[in-house]
Amino acid sequence: MYELVEYLLRGALLGITYGLLAFPVSLLFSTTGSVDVALGAYAVLAVAVAYSIGGPVGILAAILATVFASFVVGIISLRLNRPGAVDHVTAVLGTFGLAMFLESLILSVFGTNPMIRQPFDTFWNIGGIRISPQTGINAAVCLVILTALFVVLRKTPFGRSMRASAANPVGASLNGIPVRQIWFATYLLGGLLAGVAGVLILYTTGADYSSAFTLTIWGFGSAIIFGMNSPLRGFAGGLIIGMVQALCSGYLPGAWATAIPLVVIFVVLSMGRMNQIVSTGGRV
Amino acid sequence: MPAVLRSRLAPIGLLVVIIAAMTPLIAGSAFWLDNSVLVAIFSLLALSVGMAYGQAGILSMAPAAFGAIGAFATSIVTTRYGLSPLVGLALALLLPAVVAYPMARAITRLSPLPLSIATLLLSLVLELAIREGKGLTGGYIGISGIPPLWFADSVFAMHVLSWGLVVVVLFLYANLTDSAVGRAVKTARHDPLRATADGVNVPALLASYFAISASVSGLAGWLYAHHLTYMGPDSLTMHVSIKVVLMAVIGGASTLLGPVLGAAFLTLLTLYLPAAETQGMIFGGVLIFVLLVAPNGVLGTDWGKLIARRSDKQPMAVRPAATEGTA
Amino acid sequence: MTVQVKDITVRFGGVTAVKDVSLKLPPGKIVAVIGPNGSGKSTLFNAITGMVKPAAGTIEVDDTRIDAMPPYRRIGLGLARTFQTPRFDPKVTVSEAVMCGFYPVHRTGVFSAMLRLPKAVAEEGDFRERCSDILDDLRLSEFRSLTMNELPMGRVRLVEVARAVANRPKYILLDEPAAGLEREEQRMLSREIRKLADRGVGVLLVEHNFGLIRELAEHVVVLKDGAKLLEGEPETIAKDRAFIDVYLGSAGR
């Protein structure tokens, strides 16, 4: 029982970073209807840049690098999609290309070593469970971003336009809302959030060049588990995925621990959570 | 243009001519024969992507995974149970379809986007399973000593066999595209509701089509295993999948010969590329470049129109579909 | 032997789009549904073809309950429909688009199609022949190799009709087929609809143009706010006070 609680708690703390990756997934999906598979690669890029430069400069450079990467994806998607004539699958393909590019770039520049920094050697003791203060920082960063996002989406004109272009891109563009610019901004925002997530991952669990697709999957799984349309739900989904992972690695042997969370995401996918949103789009 | 050239089978005839002309030139070189077999294998994988993505709009990140299923199936039955490679062939065709159909059925209710995520999941899970299935798949070590095909035991025979299979697959694919089913798949890709109104059971149709495309991957895997006589966890990974998708997209995923052209181009390019770790950058870069310049691929683009539009410097005309759809 | 719609109710969230509507579509008859925008005409269509799920009521085609069937099986039973906003792939040619309409009657399996067995060749040839007949009937032959985005909207609607009649349906549901058509095209369309009915096809027509309805329909159902306001012969309806208020009044005529 005590063990179970410990796993759940550790899982939830691990899930914070997934929740952070889930933000851009659900933001992008609800605004543009597309998926950016390169999100995990942005995060690994941030890990690599922040790791090799180090300190606050490194963190800044890491985030700049990811925003630049998402800039490229934004351009591709603008080239392929217009309101009324969208081809999400091709845009997704473009993000695969970028993910592959980044993975190989990280491999050739930074090598195969795992990249991790753990600046704290003291631990908090909560009910007998040792927890690094870093997880406190993660939770705080996440809450700040969650709040900021909530305010931007609900209270600013940008957020309103964003929701309008999500609900009906053609209608929104006829009403003078610059839908394409909004889409582009959403991609950039996605890059920014993935960059922050990457920095947190560097200081928590670390990553290596091959983590990109798995991270994308965790972010993606977190986003769909409770439905794609709200970042808050994505955050909750991140906690769940983290807990599933922690439980699996606690109670199951090696590879099962990695495979079961993937299967869980598959099951969630097949429940049609993603389709429900797509199907509400057009009028019959 | 004579009717023969406009026929749906014309591209296949062209391919046969090209291969027939190439064969005497490379017949003396084991190196080139070997690469020719690889191009044929990758053509089959890329054709599988062409069917799933180019026709049905399902972006599959698992062609290599389905290929690995076929390859491991034949490797296991031939090395561990001493069965004929033909048993392996049957399994290699069947098993990928058996995995693909329910997976697609569970997921393609409406949108192909979730399915492409699911294929990514499948790739990751399968790679784990191969590494962990020590007794069956050989784990990290893999399976070596896979017997060559007794009916094609030289590289030259493999060259003939594998291109023969490419031609057969192309023939079946061309026929299927030009049939009620092929048209329904294309409609369903563009507008599932329209296809439903045509009386199409969209999820079942797309899932079947996806399963057929998975079988083609399985066939490629079968050839791969018997050609290289070794199959391991790093043989047909997700990176191979992405490369294969790239091949299909470069050549033109919705065309017949596009995937073959892409496979030939990228396989040759790989021969002259530097170290493995930078290859991803080149492939990824090329993919992005192609998507930006000619998203329909080399053979799927109307180059005359594209160049004319560029030189006019006119803003792209809004398609009537987009404007009238809102009226 | 009819399409029987009994007390159909459709709700979207809290909004009732169609409320207790019944109608009968016998073979060989033309029945029109009319009503202001948002009166539930299209929703009624979607309920019959299965694209929305009714909350209550039953639908029968030739004494077979179809309201639990998925849409594709209803089409297979002999229903066909067009869309108010034509849905088509802009890059497909006119004859290819019509060829798509044969799907419900195709009998060759995937494998015989792949192998091009003689059966498949014969069927494909039969479809091509029927396709060119249909295109002739609707005077679309000269446009057959144009792509859909090269056609004017009026012709696109005709292609929609051609696609719907391709599988020789027993009942056809036309959603505003005459909208945006020129007078000459309209006349041709109404001739075609009449011909369909004479061949024994039941036609359910959603239309705004009362002139066309008067010319074609034997029976008119007037919807308002999702409920049936009145029904009867076109001439009686045209004189009805309530109809004039609701319909012509709101149309500003």
Side-chain angles (χ1 to χ4, degrees):
Chain A
M1 192 58 216
Y2 174 77
E3 205 184 39
L4 180 73
V5 174
E6 178 173 355
Y7 286 145
L8 285 179
L9 185 65
R10 286 199 186 286
L13 294 172
L14 178 72
I16 290 176
T17 42
Y18 299 156
L20 207 51
L21 277 174
F23 289 167
V25 175
S26 56
L27 255 184
L28 196 69
F29 189 75
S30 55
T31 310
T32 68
S34 191
V35 174
D36 185 349
V37 197
L39 279 173
Y42 304 160
V44 179
L45 179 68
V47 170
V49 171
Y51 178 74
S52 49
I53 298 178
V57 182
I59 293 175
L60 192 68
I63 292 174
L64 277 179
T66 59
V67 170
F68 177 74
S70 61
F71 180 82
V72 176
V73 166
I75 300 230
I76 298 173
S77 125
L78 277 198
R79 168 82 174 79
L80 293 172
N81 293 330
R82 268 161 292 138
V86 285
D87 184 357
H88 296 312
V89 181
T90 314
V92 172
L93 189 54
T95 65
F96 265 111
L98 188 70
M100 195 180 183
F101 181 89
L102 289 177
E103 201 184 276
S104 158
L105 179 78
I106 294 161
L107 175 64
S108 7
V109 178
F110 303 96
T112 53
N113 292 331
M115 295 167 278
I116 183 165
R117 272 181 201 279
Q118 287 183 318
F120 297 95
D121 39 22
T122 55
F123 286 92
W124 294 337
N125 194 323
I126 300 174
I129 302 170
R130 277 152 51 90
I131 287 171
S132 159
Q134 180 63 38
T135 51
I137 298 179
N138 292 1
V141 169
C142 217
L143 282 177
V144 168
I145 288 184
L146 193 65
T147 319
L149 215 57
F150 186 80
V151 170
V152 168
L153 286 181
R154 294 283 149 188
K155 308 282 179 209
T156 64
F158 175 74
R160 269 195 297 278
S161 311
M162 207 156 158
R163 275 179 290 138
S165 36
N168 179 356
V170 176
S173 66
L174 289 178
N175 282 310
I177 292 173
V179 174
R180 287 158 61 81
Q181 281 89 323
I182 298 242
W183 284 358
F184 191 68
T186 312
Y187 275 101
L188 291 188
L189 193 56
L192 178 75
L193 292 173
V196 175
V199 171
L200 295 187
I201 288 170
L202 170 66
Y203 289 104
T204 317
T205 53
D208 67 25
Y209 78 97
S210 66
S211 318
F213 284 110
T214 349
L215 281 176
T216 301
I217 287 291
W218 298 143
F220 187 82
S222 311
I224 58 168
I225 211 162
F226 291 117
M228 279 278 220
N229 15 14
S230 126
L232 194 62
R233 292 184 192 178
F235 184 66
L239 300 189
I240 297 286
I241 294 280
M243 286 183 206
V244 169
Q245 257 190 325
L247 286 180
C248 287
S249 55
Y251 291 112
L252 294 172
W256 286 103
T258 328
I260 293 296
L262 294 172
V263 174
V264 169
I265 294 171
F266 182 83
V267 170
V268 174
L269 252 181
S270 62
M271 278 157 37
R273 289 245 175 227
M274 207 166 150
N275 285 330
Q276 281 163 15
I277 304 156
V278 176
S279 64
T280 55
R283 193 184 143 191
V284 177
Chain B
M1 213 174 2
V4 190
L5 288 182
R6 270 183 285 125
S7 134
R8 66 180 186 284
L9 301 180
I12 304 176
L14 179 68
L15 181 70
V16 171
V17 170
I18 294 175
I19 299 301
M22 291 272 296
T23 302
L25 297 179
I26 60 171
S29 153
F31 173 78
W32 284 112
L33 281 176
D34 181 62
N35 275 300
S36 160
V37 176
L38 282 180
V39 171
I41 291 171
F42 279 112
S43 296
L44 287 173
L45 287 170
L47 277 170
S48 150
V49 173
M51 293 179 79
Y53 175 56
Q55 299 294 324
I58 301 164
L59 175 58
S60 167
M61 279 302 137
F66 289 126
I69 293 176
F72 272 106
T74 194
S75 312
I76 290 166
V77 297
T78 50
T79 59
R80 299 211 196 289
Y81 301 101
L83 295 172
S84 155
L86 291 179
V87 177
L89 175 62
L91 286 175
L93 288 171
L94 201 64
L95 285 181
V98 168
V99 174
Y101 184 83
M103 181 172 122
R105 209 46 223 273
I107 284 163
T108 14
R109 288 199 198 98
L110 269 172
S111 153
L113 211 53
L115 187 58
S116 65
I117 304 290
T119 58
L120 186 64
L121 284 169
L122 176 79
S123 289
L124 294 174
V125 171
L126 196 74
E127 277 174 37
L128 279 168
I130 290 170
R131 278 175 219 284
E132 289 306 308
K134 293 187 183 69
L136 210 55
T137 62
Y140 286 87
I141 301 156
I143 300 177
S144 47
I146 302 164
L149 300 169
W150 44 262
F151 46 87
D153 51 0
S154 68
V155 200
F156 182 78
M158 268 312 265
H159 160 83
V160 175
L161 174 73
S162 44
W163 280 108
L165 286 174
V166 171
V167 169
V168 168
V169 166
L170 275 172
F171 174 74
L172 300 178
Y173 177 29
N175 287 341
L176 188 61
T177 308
D178 188 37
S179 75
V181 170
R183 285 187 290 271
V185 165
K186 255 190 268 175
T187 313
R189 180 226 172 117
H190 184 79
D191 183 350
L193 192 66
R194 171 72 257 185
T196 307
D198 285 339
V200 179
N201 181 355
V202 175
L205 180 74
L206 290 185
S208 318
Y209 207 79
F210 185 55
I212 294 174
S213 83
S215 277
V216 175
S217 288
L219 176 66
W222 177 75
L223 275 175
Y224 186 93
H226 290 291
H227 178 58
L228 296 183
T229 68
Y230 166 78
M231 195 54 212
D234 294 322
S235 300
L236 292 169
T237 58
M238 196 175 59
H239 290 92
V240 178
S241 286
I242 298 183
K243 200 164 127 184
V244 165
V245 171
L246 175 59
M247 290 170 179
V249 171
I250 285 187
S254 58
T255 63
L256 263 187
L257 289 189
V260 180
L261 179 72
F265 172 70
L266 273 193
T267 312
L268 292 182
L269 185 69
T270 314
L271 288 180
Y272 298 102
L273 280 186
E277 55 243 42
T278 52
Q279 280 186 12
M281 270 191 277
I282 295 165
F283 291 144
V286 171
L287 179 55
I288 293 172
F289 178 77
V290 170
L291 287 177
L292 288 178
V293 175
N296 296 323
V298 173
L299 295 185
T301 302
D302 188 341
W303 289 101
K305 221 181 212 172
L306 189 75
I307 291 161
R309 199 171 59 207
R310 281 284 148 81
S311 55
D312 279 354
K313 289 265 176 203
Q314 294 229 330
M316 272 212 282
V318 182
R319 276 196 266 150
T323 47
E324 281 159 10
T326 63
Chain C
M1 293 293 278
T2 40
V3 177
Q4 282 255 15
V5 178
K6 276 188 203 142
D7 302 322
I8 279 290
T9 299
V10 181
R11 291 196 193 93
F12 295 125
V15 186
T16 307
V18 170
K19 200 180 157 213
D20 296 331
V21 173
S22 302
L23 66 83
K24 230 184 200 178
L25 176 64
K29 297 273 182 229
I30 301 174
V31 175
V33 181
I34 195 167
N37 286 331
S39 60
K41 301 178 304 268
S42 290
T43 307
L44 182 65
F45 258 47
N46 290 336
I48 296 175
T49 48
M51 277 137 197
V52 299
K53 262 206 171 59
T58 63
I59 305 164
E60 287 176 10
V61 171
D62 299 344
D63 304 321
T64 314
R65 278 281 295 269
I66 61 162
D67 40 86
M69 282 185 190
Y72 69 92
R73 286 193 52 202
R74 304 183 190 203
I75 306 289
L77 277 179
L79 284 181
R81 71 165 295 171
T82 64
F83 290 93
Q84 188 182 345
T85 313
R87 311 177 75 107
F88 57 86
D89 184 342
K91 278 171 275 176
V92 147
T93 65
V94 169
S95 57
E96 259 179 279
V98 176
M99 288 293 283
C100 289
F102 290 110
Y103 188 83
V105 286
H106 92 278
R107 292 288 167 268
T108 39
V110 169
F111 290 102
S112 50
M114 283 204 284
L115 293 167
R116 277 272 150 166
L117 299 180
K119 202 173 70 176
V121 177
E123 191 184 77
E124 192 71 12
D126 178 38
F127 287 164
R128 295 219 175 271
E129 217 163 279
R130 273 160 72 179
C131 170
S132 77
D133 288 347
I134 294 168
L135 289 176
D136 274 346
D137 284 349
L138 287 165
R139 311 253 171 90
L140 289 165
S141 299
E142 53 178 308
F143 308 109
R144 59 185 320 145
S145 35
L146 288 186
T147 57
M148 294 296 285
N149 58 351
E150 292 166 336
L151 277 188
M153 202 53 181
R155 305 277 176 193
V156 168
R157 283 182 189 280
L158 287 179
V159 175
E160 279 275 288
V161 175
R163 186 173 187 159
V165 300
N167 65 346
R168 298 201 180 130
K170 287 188 268 182
Y171 305 96
I172 187 165
L173 285 66
L174 301 174
D175 202 344
E176 299 195 20
L181 256 60
E182 284 163 27
R183 198 160 291 254
E184 182 48 39
E185 291 170 331
Q186 251 184 45
R187 235 174 278 150
M188 188 179 61
L189 180 71
S190 89
R191 264 202 306 277
E192 282 309 312
I193 294 177
R194 171 59 58 203
K195 251 178 28 198
L196 278 175
D198 291 344
R199 256 192 270 149
V201 179
V203 181
L204 189 65
L205 192 64
V206 163
E207 205 25 88
H208 273 305
N209 178 344
F210 201 72
L212 192 72
I213 288 179
R214 230 179 201 168
E215 190 187 320
L216 283 172
E218 282 111 19
H219 192 83
V220 178
V221 176
V222 184
L223 292 185
K224 191 202 170 214
D225 300 332
K228 198 188 323 183
L229 186 71
L230 65 151
E231 62 181 318
E233 284 176 16
E235 294 311 317
T236 349
I237 297 282
K239 293 190 195 93
D240 192 288
R241 201 60 244 165
F243 168 71
I244 294 167
D245 281 353
V246 166
Y247 191 69
L248 299 182
S250 74
R253 266 181 253 173

